[in-house]
C-alpha cells in the first residue's frame, strides 16, 4: 500500500536561512511524487513533481526536491527562505498502481522568523 | 483559464442532515477527485470520477457518495451527517485520461463543512 511519512510536524527557520523538509514514502512500484503547499483555509498548490528522469527536480518559488530511490525519500529544499513561505507543506505519492489516488503525508508546518 | 471552483465555500449543517458539495473542474479536465481534510486524519482520498464513472474509491462509508455529469462537473453527497464529518472537502481535477496518475492534480479552495 501507499504511505508517506513526514517526520517533522513543525519546523521554524529564520528568514534567509536554508530549508529542508523530509519525506519518506512506501510504494510497490516506481512512484510519482509531489510536494504541495497550503496556506490557512486555502486549497493545495503544487510546488513540484517527479515522474521519471532527472532525480533533482525544480519547482516554483525557488523550491527543489531530490528523489532518492535507495532511501525512499523525496526531500524538499530551498536555499533561502522568505517570510511568505510560511505555510503547511504536504508530500504526496501516487503512481500507476492506484491511478489518480494520491496519498498524503501528515504535513509539515513551516514558521519563518524574522 | 479558470481554476477548479468549489461551491459553497462554507456550510453549516446539523447532525442527521445530508449535504451536497459541488466542483467544477478546469476546462478540458475529465478526471475529478475528492479529498477530506481533517486535523486528526489529514488528507484522505474519497473517490475519483472520470467520464461520469467512478474510477477509484477510498475507504469511506457508503454515506459518502458522488457523481459526475457529462460536462465533468462533480458533486459529492454526505448523508446522515455526523459530527466527525466536519472537515475541509477538497476537489482536484486533472487531465489524466488513462488514470495512470502521471499528471498534475489542480485543487480547488475547498468547502468547509461544519456539522453541529
Amino acid at each position: 500500500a501507499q504511505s508517506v511519512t513526514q517526520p517533522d510536524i513543525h519546523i521554524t527557520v529564520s528568514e534567509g536561512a536554508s530549508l529542508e523538509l523530509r519525506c519518506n514514502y512506501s510504494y510497490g512500484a516506481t512512484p510519482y511524487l509531489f510536494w504541495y503547499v497550503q496556506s490557512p483555509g486555502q486549497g493545495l498548490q503544487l510546488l513540484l513533481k517527479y515522474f521519471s528522469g532527472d532525480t533533482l527536480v525544480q519547482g516554483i518559488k525557488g523550491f527543489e526536491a531530490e528523489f532518492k530511490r535507495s532511501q525512499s525519500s523525496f526531500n524538499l529544499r530551498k536555499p533561502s527562505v522568505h517570510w511568505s513561505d510560511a505555510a503547511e507543506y504536504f508530500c504526496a505519492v501516487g503512481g500507476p498502481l492506484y491511478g489518480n489516488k494520491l496519498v498524503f503525508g501528515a504535513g509539515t508546518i513551516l514558521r519563518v522568523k524574522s | 483559464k479558470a481554476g477548479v471552483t468549489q461551491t459553497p465555500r462554507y456550510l453549516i449543517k446539523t447532525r442527521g442532515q445530508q449535504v451536497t458539495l459541488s466542483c467544477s473542474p478546469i476546462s478540458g479536465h475529465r478526471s475529478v477527485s475528492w479529498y477530506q481534510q481533517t486535523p486528526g486524519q489529514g488528507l484522505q482520498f474519497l473517490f475519483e470520477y472520470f467520464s461520469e464513472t467512478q474510477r477509484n474509491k477510498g475507504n469511506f462509508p457508503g454515506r459518502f457518495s458522488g457523481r459526475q455529469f457529462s460536462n465533468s462537473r462533480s458533486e459529492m453527497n454526505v448523508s446522515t451527517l455526523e459530527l466527525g464529518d466536519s472537515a475541509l472537502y477538497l476537489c482536484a481535477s486533472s487531465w489524466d485520461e488513462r488514470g495512470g496518475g502521471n499528471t498534475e492534480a489542480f485543487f480547488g479552495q475547498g468547502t468547509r463543512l461544519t456539522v453541529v
Side-chain angles (χ1 to χ4, degrees), chain B residues 7-62:
Chain B
T7 56
R9 288 293 311 278
Y10 303 92
L11 211 46
I12 300 175
K13 290 287 187 179
T14 304
R15 269 183 303 174
Q17 288 186 313
Q18 74 164 15
V19 67
T20 299
L21 312 182
S22 180
C23 172
S24 293
I26 290 171
S27 178
H29 287 187
R30 293 200 289 163
S31 167
V32 175
S33 297
W34 289 88
Y35 292 82
Q36 182 196 63
Q37 185 177 24
T38 60
Q41 299 298 316
L43 280 151
Q44 293 186 288
F45 174 80
L46 280 154
F47 30 65
E48 180 208 3
Y49 284 85
F50 178 82
S51 214
E52 302 179 64
T53 302
Q54 189 180 86
R55 189 161 68 175
N56 209 342
K57 188 177 186 305
N59 296 321
F60 278 81

Side-chain angles (χ1 to χ4, degrees), chain A residues 9 88 90 104-107 109, chain B residues 36-44 60 83-88 112:
Chain A
I9 298 174
E88 189 162 16
F90 293 93
F104 287 85
I109 296 173
Chain B
Q36 182 196 63
Q37 185 177 24
T38 60
Q41 299 298 316
L43 280 151
Q44 293 186 288
F60 278 81
L83 295 179
D85 297 332
S86 295
L88 181 67
R112 171 74 63 185

Side-chain angles (χ1 to χ4, degrees), chain A residues 51-63:
Chain A
F51 294 141
S52 64
D54 193 346
T55 55
L56 183 63
V57 294
Q58 302 297 321
I60 62 171
K61 304 184 181 185
F63 286 93

Side-chain angles (χ1 to χ4, degrees), chain A residues 68-110:
Chain A
K68 293 186 177 180
R69 185 188 303 274
S70 62
Q71 298 176 21
S72 297
S73 69
F74 189 59
N75 294 348
L76 182 71
R77 300 193 294 249
K78 186 170 186 179
S80 177
V81 169
H82 187 262
W83 64 266
S84 60
D85 293 325
E88 189 162 16
Y89 292 78
F90 293 93
C91 181
V93 66
L97 293 180
Y98 299 101
N100 278 324
K101 175 185 175 183
L102 292 176
V103 170
F104 287 85
T108 298
I109 296 173
L110 173 64

